Amino acid sequence: MATTNYDVVVIGAGSVGVPTAWAMARSGLKVLVVDRHASPGQGSNKTAIGGVRATHSEPAKIRICLRSLEIASTWQETYGDSIEWTTGGYSFVAYEEREEAILKGLLDTQHASGLQIDWHEPESLLSLAPDLRQDGLLGGTFSPGDGHCSPLLLGHAMYEQACEAGAEFRFGVEVTGLSRKDGRVRGVETSHGTFETPIVINAAGAWANEIGRMVGLDHGIAPDSHEGGITEPVAPFLKPMIVDIKPTEGAANCYFFQLATGQVVFALTPAPVFAGFDCRETSGFLPLISQRMVELMPRLADLRVRRTWRGLYPMTRDGAPLVGWAGEVEGYLMAIGMCGHGFMIGPGLGEVLDRVVRQEMTDDDRFILDGLSPTRSFEGTAALK
Ligand SMILES: Cc1cc2nc3c(=O)[nH]c(=O)nc-3n(C[C@H](O)[C@H](O)[C@H](O)COP(=O)(O)OP(=O)(O)OC[C@H]3O[C@@H](n4cnc5c(N)ncnc54)[C@H](O)[C@@H]3O)c2cc1C
């Protein structure tokens, strides 16, 4: 029976839990991470395609992801591991007035939040992504500091750094309950005993509601499934991530980029969404996305697809995460509802959570917590969710 005391127990060794544990261990906190899987990143993290952007519509997410970009883009020079980082930028393209208006309408907020991004007329955009279809192109945004890397490599590298900094990880451990006394958290009950702690961080991703129910809270996370795929490797031809937010039959958007190793990875948001936990691939995904991608970039028609997969987005009502203490249960901190952006949010958010726990928040942290508060009004939907 485990009885060790920890300053913090993090539930979930995924996109959020691993960098959070790393940040806290660096600050000297005694932190334990528990996960039901046998190794880190086996929930949604390994299904991400690896995009890291600060091009968002909510200022809180922009600020977090600007820090994530710093961490990811300097990882190799700081820690030595290759994570296949590429600063290729993100380009959101517009072939219709609707998309042009949405993208241009976000620029003021994005600039005010410190994001380097500009609208490019067709000729300029084509100089950045020459293989885009020219016919009907109205232009698009380009944010040069965004990029991508391998979620498997970065996830593992952060896990190793967290261990080196003193964080403990226990795998194959299922959380079954949270013990409380006098309205505050006292410990985490698991398949392998109880771990005592005054602070629990729910970083359980698509499964966060299960943990919430253990303290009588309904977090309202609604998981839905998304497919991704990867082609054979080819010579470099595409630098930015291309994102098309135009809704078409069966898909709300589509996005793709070329990895440092030559393969093109791609994904879309199905419309209507596939609600629930089903992660079996569908026969409809490849015909749908290949048609969209070839329409956007005819040159892709000859690429052969190597494999597809399906993973979960932990969705919230408005498409933005839920981050903050639960007023009802002292010591219970939520870092959930990452939707389609947990991999890019994780590194920056981990540092914010560390300061929250140590009560050393900056003005920026307060701003972020305000924007992502679990008790916000949930009016509207994030434009780039
Ligand atoms: C096709 C696809 C493409 C994507 N592309 C991107 C992208 O380019 N960029 C990006 O930022 N995001 C992307 N995402 C989204 C990203 O994968 C998720 O937002 C992110 O992984 C969620 O992180 P998380 O830490 O909240 O959850 P996870 O990484 O799933 O971690 C949660 C962990 O909690 C553990 N857990 C849950 N309940 C318990 C319990 N009771 N006991 C013990 N352990 C428990 C789970 O085992 C899991 O390991 C993509 C997703 C998909 C499906």
Side-chain angles (χ1 to χ4, degrees):
M1 172 79 69
T3 51
T4 324
N5 277 288
Y6 292 91
D7 294 328
V8 184
V9 174
V10 179
I11 302 172
S15 302
V16 172
V18 170
T20 299
W22 175 45
M24 291 179 174
R26 285 199 319 266
S27 296
L29 291 170
K30 188 170 163 57
V31 53
L32 170 71
V33 185
V34 290
D35 200 296
R36 56 161 70 112
H37 287 297
S39 60
Q42 298 301 313
S44 297
N45 183 74
K46 69 177 179 185
T47 68
I49 66 171
V52 183
R53 61 167 152 108
T55 304
H56 295 288
S57 45
E58 313 77 50
K61 279 170 75 178
I62 296 174
R63 291 188 196 195
I64 293 173
C65 289
L66 283 171
R67 178 61 189 139
S68 294
L69 280 165
E70 278 176 6
I71 295 170
S73 63
T74 58
W75 190 275
Q76 185 157 4
E77 69 196 62
T78 311
Y79 300 103
D81 331 273
S82 166
I83 56 165
E84 294 173 1
W85 175 260
T86 306
T87 307
Y90 261 64
S91 179
F92 283 70
V93 299
Y95 286 86
E96 308 273 348
E97 284 173 11
R98 172 191 171 270
E99 285 74 49
E100 180 179 6
I102 292 173
L103 297 172
K104 284 183 169 172
L106 294 172
L107 290 174
D108 283 349
T109 306
Q110 292 170 330
H111 288 151
S113 304
L115 177 67
Q116 199 191 339
I117 185 167
D118 283 308
W119 176 262
H120 290 254
E121 296 299 329
E123 198 184 336
S124 172
L125 198 67
L126 288 167
S127 71
L128 297 163
D131 293 303
L132 277 173
R133 191 185 86 229
Q134 298 184 16
D135 179 32
L137 181 63
L138 299 177
T141 58
F142 182 63
S143 43
D146 292 339
H148 52 83
C149 61
S150 159
L152 304 180
L153 292 175
L154 180 56
H156 196 76
M158 280 192 299
Y159 164 67
E160 286 190 328
Q161 287 300 324
C163 293
E164 204 162 297
E168 277 180 52
F169 286 79
R170 301 214 183 191
F171 294 108
V173 172
E174 174 92 22
V175 174
T176 54
L178 298 182
S179 43
R180 284 177 290 164
K181 199 173 168 207
D182 302 330
R184 76 157 301 139
V185 165
R186 296 286 169 196
V188 176
E189 295 158 9
T190 76
S191 52
H192 289 62
T194 299
F195 300 98
E196 287 170 22
T197 181
I199 296 177
V200 170
I201 299 183
N202 181 350
W207 304 270
N209 288 344
E210 290 172 28
I211 308 297
R213 278 195 289 272
M214 294 172 190
V215 285
L217 297 175
D218 176 8
H219 296 323
I221 304 298
D224 61 37
S225 62
H226 294 237
E227 283 173 272
I230 187 164
T231 70
E232 62 187 337
V234 290
F237 70 98
L238 175 61
K239 283 211 79 164
M241 163 92 90
I242 304 296
V243 187
D244 179 14
I245 58 168
K246 180 181 156 190
T248 55
E249 202 182 332
N253 57 34
C254 142
Y255 47 101
F256 57 90
F257 64 90
Q258 187 175 22
L259 291 171
T261 43
Q263 303 95 324
V264 174
V265 284
F266 51 87
L268 58 68
T269 297
V273 295
F274 294 114
F277 290 88
D278 192 348
C279 284
R280 293 169 298 173
E281 293 94 60
T282 68
S283 57
F285 171 63
L286 264 185
L288 187 61
I289 194 157
S290 45
Q291 187 185 352
R292 278 196 74 146
M293 286 170 67
V294 171
E295 261 172 34
L296 279 169
M297 203 167 266
R299 183 180 179 177
L300 298 174
D302 294 331
L303 272 180
R304 281 172 297 202
V305 172
R306 282 277 163 83
R307 97 183 163 86
T308 63
W309 64 89
R310 191 168 171 208
L312 301 174
Y313 276 24
M315 293 305 295
T316 60
R317 273 183 285 157
D318 60 1
L322 307 181
V323 180
W325 297 107
E328 303 86 342
V329 188
E330 222 182 308
Y332 178 73
L333 184 56
M334 286 163 267
I336 56 178
M338 298 296 139
C339 306
H341 304 139
F343 174 63
M344 61 183 90
I345 288 173
L349 182 61
E351 293 185 353
V352 175
L353 293 170
D354 167 49
R355 292 187 292 269
V356 169
V357 163
R358 289 187 296 107
Q359 300 183 11
E360 287 191 9
M361 283 196 287
T362 62
D363 288 346
D364 235 29
D365 295 338
R366 276 183 269 277
F367 178 87
I368 288 167
L369 256 65
D370 201 39
L372 303 182
S373 164
T375 55
R376 63 182 179 263
S377 67
F378 293 96
E379 278 161 15
T381 304
L384 301 184
K385 72 173 181 163

